[in-house]
PDB file of all heavy atoms in Angstrom:
ATOM      1  N   THR A   1     102.343 110.791 101.803  1.00 98.00           N
ATOM      2  CA  THR A   1     101.095 111.396 101.357  1.00 98.00           C
ATOM      3  C   THR A   1     101.371 112.650 100.536  1.00 98.00           C
ATOM      4  O   THR A   1     102.066 113.555 100.987  1.00 98.00           O
ATOM      5  CB  THR A   1     100.211 111.750 102.567  1.00 98.00           C
ATOM      6  OG1 THR A   1      99.833 110.544 103.243  1.00 98.00           O
ATOM      7  CG2 THR A   1      98.963 112.508 102.132  1.00 98.00           C
ATOM      8  N   ALA A   2     100.844 112.668  99.315  1.00 98.00           N
ATOM      9  CA  ALA A   2     101.080 113.783  98.393  1.00 98.00           C
ATOM     10  C   ALA A   2     100.301 113.525  97.105  1.00 98.00           C
ATOM     11  O   ALA A   2      99.762 112.435  96.893  1.00 98.00           O
ATOM     12  CB  ALA A   2     102.562 113.910  98.069  1.00 98.00           C
ATOM     13  N   VAL A   3     100.266 114.545  96.264  1.00 98.00           N
ATOM     14  CA  VAL A   3      99.839 114.345  94.879  1.00 98.00           C
ATOM     15  C   VAL A   3     101.084 113.952  94.093  1.00 98.00           C
ATOM     16  O   VAL A   3     102.107 114.635  94.159  1.00 98.00           O
ATOM     17  CB  VAL A   3      99.207 115.612  94.287  1.00 98.00           C
ATOM     18  CG1 VAL A   3      98.827 115.378  92.830  1.00 98.00           C
ATOM     19  CG2 VAL A   3      97.979 116.022  95.100  1.00 98.00           C
ATOM     20  N   TYR A   4     100.968 112.844  93.365  1.00 98.00           N
ATOM     21  CA  TYR A   4     102.088 112.336  92.582  1.00 98.00           C
ATOM     22  C   TYR A   4     101.882 112.660  91.102  1.00 98.00           C
ATOM     23  O   TYR A   4     100.802 112.442  90.552  1.00 98.00           O
ATOM     24  CB  TYR A   4     102.215 110.831  92.785  1.00 98.00           C
ATOM     25  CG  TYR A   4     102.839 110.463  94.105  1.00 98.00           C
ATOM     26  CD1 TYR A   4     102.151 110.647  95.304  1.00 98.00           C
ATOM     27  CD2 TYR A   4     104.141 109.969  94.171  1.00 98.00           C
ATOM     28  CE1 TYR A   4     102.731 110.338  96.519  1.00 98.00           C
ATOM     29  CE2 TYR A   4     104.726 109.652  95.381  1.00 98.00           C
ATOM     30  CZ  TYR A   4     104.020 109.842  96.548  1.00 98.00           C
ATOM     31  OH  TYR A   4     104.616 109.536  97.757  1.00 98.00           O
ATOM     32  N   TYR A   5     102.952 113.163  90.502  1.00 98.00           N
ATOM     33  CA  TYR A   5     102.919 113.571  89.113  1.00 98.00           C
ATOM     34  C   TYR A   5     103.937 112.791  88.296  1.00 98.00           C
ATOM     35  O   TYR A   5     105.075 112.585  88.741  1.00 98.00           O
ATOM     36  CB  TYR A   5     103.242 115.055  88.970  1.00 98.00           C
ATOM     37  CG  TYR A   5     102.281 115.982  89.660  1.00 98.00           C
ATOM     38  CD1 TYR A   5     102.499 116.381  90.980  1.00 98.00           C
ATOM     39  CD2 TYR A   5     101.164 116.478  88.995  1.00 98.00           C
ATOM     40  CE1 TYR A   5     101.623 117.241  91.622  1.00 98.00           C
ATOM     41  CE2 TYR A   5     100.284 117.349  89.625  1.00 98.00           C
ATOM     42  CZ  TYR A   5     100.523 117.718  90.938  1.00 98.00           C
ATOM     43  OH  TYR A   5      99.655 118.573  91.565  1.00 98.00           O
ATOM     44  N   CYS A   6     103.537 112.424  87.101  1.00 98.00           N
ATOM     45  CA  CYS A   6     104.434 111.846  86.123  1.00 98.00           C
ATOM     46  C   CYS A   6     104.838 112.948  85.148  1.00 98.00           C
ATOM     47  O   CYS A   6     104.012 113.823  84.806  1.00 98.00           O
ATOM     48  CB  CYS A   6     103.682 110.727  85.399  1.00 98.00           C
ATOM     49  SG  CYS A   6     104.503 110.052  83.973  1.00 98.00           S
ATOM     50  N   ALA A   7     106.089 112.916  84.698  1.00 97.00           N
ATOM     51  CA  ALA A   7     106.560 113.926  83.766  1.00 97.00           C
ATOM     52  C   ALA A   7     107.556 113.314  82.795  1.00 97.00           C
ATOM     53  O   ALA A   7     108.231 112.327  83.124  1.00 97.00           O
ATOM     54  CB  ALA A   7     107.214 115.084  84.527  1.00 97.00           C
ATOM     55  N   ALA A   8     107.650 113.918  81.608  1.00 96.00           N
ATOM     56  CA  ALA A   8     108.528 113.417  80.560  1.00 96.00           C
ATOM     57  C   ALA A   8     109.443 114.512  80.054  1.00 96.00           C
ATOM     58  O   ALA A   8     109.030 115.677  79.920  1.00 96.00           O
ATOM     59  CB  ALA A   8     107.698 112.852  79.405  1.00 96.00           C
ATOM     60  N   SER A   9     110.678 114.119  79.752  1.00 94.00           N
ATOM     61  CA  SER A   9     111.679 115.049  79.240  1.00 94.00           C
ATOM     62  C   SER A   9     112.407 114.378  78.093  1.00 94.00           C
ATOM     63  O   SER A   9     112.891 113.248  78.242  1.00 94.00           O
ATOM     64  CB  SER A   9     112.663 115.408  80.361  1.00 94.00           C
ATOM     65  OG  SER A   9     113.740 116.155  79.860  1.00 94.00           O
ATOM     66  N   LEU A  10     112.481 115.071  76.969  1.00 92.00           N
ATOM     67  CA  LEU A  10     113.195 114.522  75.821  1.00 92.00           C
ATOM     68  C   LEU A  10     114.680 114.411  76.171  1.00 92.00           C
ATOM     69  O   LEU A  10     115.316 115.410  76.504  1.00 92.00           O
ATOM     70  CB  LEU A  10     112.992 115.431  74.610  1.00 92.00           C
ATOM     71  CG  LEU A  10     113.513 114.911  73.265  1.00 92.00           C
ATOM     72  CD1 LEU A  10     112.754 113.645  72.854  1.00 92.00           C
ATOM     73  CD2 LEU A  10     113.374 115.971  72.192  1.00 92.00           C
ATOM     74  N   GLY A  11     115.215 113.203  76.120  1.00 89.00           N
ATOM     75  CA  GLY A  11     116.608 113.025  76.486  1.00 89.00           C
ATOM     76  C   GLY A  11     116.936 111.563  76.688  1.00 89.00           C
ATOM     77  O   GLY A  11     116.085 110.685  76.494  1.00 89.00           O
ATOM     78  N   SER A  12     118.185 111.309  77.104  1.00 88.00           N
ATOM     79  CA  SER A  12     118.664 109.931  77.185  1.00 88.00           C
ATOM     80  C   SER A  12     118.816 109.402  78.604  1.00 88.00           C
ATOM     81  O   SER A  12     118.530 108.238  78.871  1.00 88.00           O
ATOM     82  CB  SER A  12     120.018 109.812  76.471  1.00 88.00           C
ATOM     83  OG  SER A  12     119.896 110.133  75.100  1.00 88.00           O
ATOM     84  N   TYR A  13     119.324 110.261  79.493  1.00 92.00           N
ATOM     85  CA  TYR A  13     119.692 109.767  80.810  1.00 92.00           C
ATOM     86  C   TYR A  13     119.043 110.555  81.933  1.00 92.00           C
ATOM     87  O   TYR A  13     118.880 111.774  81.863  1.00 92.00           O
ATOM     88  CB  TYR A  13     121.209 109.816  80.986  1.00 92.00           C
ATOM     89  CG  TYR A  13     121.948 108.906  80.027  1.00 92.00           C
ATOM     90  CD1 TYR A  13     122.589 109.414  78.908  1.00 92.00           C
ATOM     91  CD2 TYR A  13     121.980 107.530  80.241  1.00 92.00           C
ATOM     92  CE1 TYR A  13     123.245 108.579  78.029  1.00 92.00           C
ATOM     93  CE2 TYR A  13     122.640 106.692  79.373  1.00 92.00           C
ATOM     94  CZ  TYR A  13     123.272 107.219  78.265  1.00 92.00           C
ATOM     95  OH  TYR A  13     123.916 106.385  77.387  1.00 92.00           O
ATOM     96  N   CYS A  14     118.712 109.826  82.984  1.00 91.00           N
ATOM     97  CA  CYS A  14     118.269 110.430  84.222  1.00 91.00           C
ATOM     98  C   CYS A  14     119.511 110.921  84.946  1.00 91.00           C
ATOM     99  O   CYS A  14     120.414 110.132  85.208  1.00 91.00           O
ATOM    100  CB  CYS A  14     117.541 109.375  85.043  1.00 91.00           C
ATOM    101  SG  CYS A  14     116.906 109.930  86.599  1.00 91.00           S
ATOM    102  N   PRO A  15     119.610 112.198  85.264  1.00 87.00           N
ATOM    103  CA  PRO A  15     120.838 112.717  85.861  1.00 87.00           C
ATOM    104  C   PRO A  15     121.092 112.147  87.250  1.00 87.00           C
ATOM    105  O   PRO A  15     120.172 111.766  87.962  1.00 87.00           O
ATOM    106  CB  PRO A  15     120.597 114.233  85.908  1.00 87.00           C
ATOM    107  CG  PRO A  15     119.129 114.399  85.829  1.00 87.00           C
ATOM    108  CD  PRO A  15     118.604 113.247  85.065  1.00 87.00           C
ATOM    109  N   SER A  16     122.360 112.133  87.624  1.00 85.00           N
ATOM    110  CA  SER A  16     122.738 111.539  88.905  1.00 85.00           C
ATOM    111  C   SER A  16     122.193 112.319  90.092  1.00 85.00           C
ATOM    112  O   SER A  16     122.060 111.774  91.192  1.00 85.00           O
ATOM    113  CB  SER A  16     124.261 111.449  89.010  1.00 85.00           C
ATOM    114  OG  SER A  16     124.829 112.732  88.900  1.00 85.00           O
ATOM    115  N   TYR A  17     121.864 113.590  89.854  1.00 87.00           N
ATOM    116  CA  TYR A  17     121.322 114.411  90.944  1.00 87.00           C
ATOM    117  C   TYR A  17     119.801 114.304  91.030  1.00 87.00           C
ATOM    118  O   TYR A  17     119.185 114.919  91.874  1.00 87.00           O
ATOM    119  CB  TYR A  17     121.729 115.873  90.785  1.00 87.00           C
ATOM    120  CG  TYR A  17     121.443 116.471  89.426  1.00 87.00           C
ATOM    121  CD1 TYR A  17     120.161 116.896  89.090  1.00 87.00           C
ATOM    122  CD2 TYR A  17     122.452 116.598  88.484  1.00 87.00           C
ATOM    123  CE1 TYR A  17     119.893 117.440  87.846  1.00 87.00           C
ATOM    124  CE2 TYR A  17     122.191 117.132  87.234  1.00 87.00           C
ATOM    125  CZ  TYR A  17     120.909 117.554  86.917  1.00 87.00           C
ATOM    126  OH  TYR A  17     120.650 118.086  85.695  1.00 87.00           O
ATOM    127  N   GLY A  18     119.211 113.518  90.137  1.00 88.00           N
ATOM    128  CA  GLY A  18     117.785 113.284  90.206  1.00 88.00           C
ATOM    129  C   GLY A  18     116.978 114.242  89.357  1.00 88.00           C
ATOM    130  O   GLY A  18     117.538 115.112  88.688  1.00 88.00           O
ATOM    131  N   PRO A  19     115.672 114.091  89.365  1.00 91.00           N
ATOM    132  CA  PRO A  19     114.806 114.909  88.508  1.00 91.00           C
ATOM    133  C   PRO A  19     114.522 116.290  89.120  1.00 91.00           C
ATOM    134  O   PRO A  19     114.208 116.400  90.304  1.00 91.00           O
ATOM    135  CB  PRO A  19     113.526 114.079  88.424  1.00 91.00           C
ATOM    136  CG  PRO A  19     113.480 113.326  89.698  1.00 91.00           C
ATOM    137  CD  PRO A  19     114.905 113.076  90.096  1.00 91.00           C
ATOM    138  N   TYR A  20     114.623 117.312  88.283  1.00 91.00           N
ATOM    139  CA  TYR A  20     114.233 118.659  88.656  1.00 91.00           C
ATOM    140  C   TYR A  20     113.081 119.089  87.759  1.00 91.00           C
ATOM    141  O   TYR A  20     113.093 118.860  86.561  1.00 91.00           O
ATOM    142  CB  TYR A  20     115.401 119.632  88.504  1.00 91.00           C
ATOM    143  CG  TYR A  20     116.329 119.635  89.683  1.00 91.00           C
ATOM    144  CD1 TYR A  20     117.165 118.551  89.927  1.00 91.00           C
ATOM    145  CD2 TYR A  20     116.377 120.706  90.574  1.00 91.00           C
ATOM    146  CE1 TYR A  20     118.002 118.528  91.023  1.00 91.00           C
ATOM    147  CE2 TYR A  20     117.226 120.695  91.664  1.00 91.00           C
ATOM    148  CZ  TYR A  20     118.035 119.613  91.878  1.00 91.00           C
ATOM    149  OH  TYR A  20     118.865 119.595  92.962  1.00 91.00           O
ATOM    150  N   SER A  21     112.094 119.736  88.345  1.00 90.00           N
ATOM    151  CA  SER A  21     110.860 120.082  87.619  1.00 90.00           C
ATOM    152  C   SER A  21     111.134 120.837  86.328  1.00 90.00           C
ATOM    153  O   SER A  21     110.521 120.558  85.290  1.00 90.00           O
ATOM    154  CB  SER A  21     109.945 120.924  88.506  1.00 90.00           C
ATOM    155  OG  SER A  21     109.543 120.211  89.650  1.00 90.00           O
ATOM    156  N   TYR A  22     112.057 121.796  86.377  1.00 89.00           N
ATOM    157  CA  TYR A  22     112.271 122.672  85.229  1.00 89.00           C
ATOM    158  C   TYR A  22     112.825 121.933  84.021  1.00 89.00           C
ATOM    159  O   TYR A  22     112.793 122.430  82.905  1.00 89.00           O
ATOM    160  CB  TYR A  22     113.187 123.834  85.602  1.00 89.00           C
ATOM    161  CG  TYR A  22     114.608 123.457  85.902  1.00 89.00           C
ATOM    162  CD1 TYR A  22     115.557 123.328  84.882  1.00 89.00           C
ATOM    163  CD2 TYR A  22     115.025 123.227  87.211  1.00 89.00           C
ATOM    164  CE1 TYR A  22     116.864 122.968  85.157  1.00 89.00           C
ATOM    165  CE2 TYR A  22     116.332 122.867  87.488  1.00 89.00           C
ATOM    166  CZ  TYR A  22     117.249 122.749  86.456  1.00 89.00           C
ATOM    167  OH  TYR A  22     118.535 122.395  86.740  1.00 89.00           O
ATOM    168  N   GLU A  23     113.321 120.715  84.226  1.00 91.00           N
ATOM    169  CA  GLU A  23     113.898 119.950  83.123  1.00 91.00           C
ATOM    170  C   GLU A  23     112.844 119.146  82.367  1.00 91.00           C
ATOM    171  O   GLU A  23     113.148 118.532  81.355  1.00 91.00           O
ATOM    172  CB  GLU A  23     114.979 119.006  83.651  1.00 91.00           C
ATOM    173  CG  GLU A  23     116.179 119.738  84.237  1.00 91.00           C
ATOM    174  CD  GLU A  23     117.229 118.801  84.792  1.00 91.00           C
ATOM    175  OE1 GLU A  23     116.847 117.676  85.209  1.00 91.00           O
ATOM    176  OE2 GLU A  23     118.406 119.182  84.836  1.00 91.00           O
ATOM    177  N   TYR A  24     111.615 119.138  82.848  1.00 95.00           N
ATOM    178  CA  TYR A  24     110.578 118.309  82.267  1.00 95.00           C
ATOM    179  C   TYR A  24     109.554 119.171  81.542  1.00 95.00           C
ATOM    180  O   TYR A  24     109.088 120.176  82.054  1.00 95.00           O
ATOM    181  CB  TYR A  24     109.920 117.449  83.344  1.00 95.00           C
ATOM    182  CG  TYR A  24     110.844 116.351  83.799  1.00 95.00           C
ATOM    183  CD1 TYR A  24     111.921 116.617  84.628  1.00 95.00           C
ATOM    184  CD2 TYR A  24     110.652 115.048  83.363  1.00 95.00           C
ATOM    185  CE1 TYR A  24     112.797 115.611  85.003  1.00 95.00           C
ATOM    186  CE2 TYR A  24     111.509 114.028  83.745  1.00 95.00           C
ATOM    187  CZ  TYR A  24     112.591 114.319  84.560  1.00 95.00           C
ATOM    188  OH  TYR A  24     113.447 113.321  84.928  1.00 95.00           O
ATOM    189  N   ASP A  25     109.202 118.718  80.351  1.00 93.00           N
ATOM    190  CA  ASP A  25     108.353 119.516  79.478  1.00 93.00           C
ATOM    191  C   ASP A  25     106.885 119.104  79.520  1.00 93.00           C
ATOM    192  O   ASP A  25     106.005 119.920  79.236  1.00 93.00           O
ATOM    193  CB  ASP A  25     108.840 119.379  78.028  1.00 93.00           C
ATOM    194  CG  ASP A  25     110.286 119.778  77.877  1.00 93.00           C
ATOM    195  OD1 ASP A  25     110.632 120.904  78.294  1.00 93.00           O
ATOM    196  OD2 ASP A  25     111.072 118.967  77.366  1.00 93.00           O
ATOM    197  N   TYR A  26     106.633 117.847  79.825  1.00 95.00           N
ATOM    198  CA  TYR A  26     105.273 117.325  79.743  1.00 95.00           C
ATOM    199  C   TYR A  26     104.887 116.718  81.082  1.00 95.00           C
ATOM    200  O   TYR A  26     105.668 115.968  81.683  1.00 95.00           O
ATOM    201  CB  TYR A  26     105.171 116.277  78.626  1.00 95.00           C
ATOM    202  CG  TYR A  26     105.670 116.778  77.307  1.00 95.00           C
ATOM    203  CD1 TYR A  26     106.929 116.424  76.834  1.00 95.00           C
ATOM    204  CD2 TYR A  26     104.899 117.654  76.546  1.00 95.00           C
ATOM    205  CE1 TYR A  26     107.405 116.915  75.641  1.00 95.00           C
ATOM    206  CE2 TYR A  26     105.372 118.145  75.340  1.00 95.00           C
ATOM    207  CZ  TYR A  26     106.621 117.772  74.893  1.00 95.00           C
ATOM    208  OH  TYR A  26     107.082 118.270  73.712  1.00 95.00           O
ATOM    209  N   TRP A  27     103.673 117.044  81.514  1.00 97.00           N
ATOM    210  CA  TRP A  27     103.218 116.665  82.849  1.00 97.00           C
ATOM    211  C   TRP A  27     101.816 116.059  82.803  1.00 97.00           C
ATOM    212  O   TRP A  27     100.964 116.479  82.010  1.00 97.00           O
ATOM    213  CB  TRP A  27     103.185 117.877  83.761  1.00 97.00           C
ATOM    214  CG  TRP A  27     104.546 118.404  84.085  1.00 97.00           C
ATOM    215  CD1 TRP A  27     105.325 119.235  83.311  1.00 97.00           C
ATOM    216  CD2 TRP A  27     105.294 118.136  85.268  1.00 97.00           C
ATOM    217  NE1 TRP A  27     106.512 119.471  83.947  1.00 97.00           N
ATOM    218  CE2 TRP A  27     106.526 118.822  85.146  1.00 97.00           C
ATOM    219  CE3 TRP A  27     105.055 117.365  86.414  1.00 97.00           C
ATOM    220  CZ2 TRP A  27     107.516 118.782  86.130  1.00 97.00           C
ATOM    221  CZ3 TRP A  27     106.031 117.337  87.402  1.00 97.00           C
ATOM    222  CH2 TRP A  27     107.239 118.018  87.251  1.00 97.00           C
ATOM    223  N   GLY A  28     101.603 115.101  83.707  1.00 97.00           N
ATOM    224  CA  GLY A  28     100.260 114.602  83.909  1.00 97.00           C
ATOM    225  C   GLY A  28      99.509 115.485  84.893  1.00 97.00           C
ATOM    226  O   GLY A  28     100.056 116.459  85.419  1.00 97.00           O
TER     227      GLY A  28
END
């Protein structure tokens, strides 16, 4: 249970350590 957000970051690969908020520029 949570609010789920989609986000986009200009780039090629999803890092092995996973997504970090500060790396994403655009948010729903």
Side-chain angles (χ1 to χ4, degrees):
T1 296
V3 178
Y4 283 71
Y5 298 91
C6 170
S9 172
L10 188 64
S12 298
Y13 296 103
C14 181
S16 59
Y17 51 79
Y20 277 71
S21 298
Y22 68 85
E23 295 178 332
Y24 288 75
D25 303 306
Y26 307 102
W27 291 82

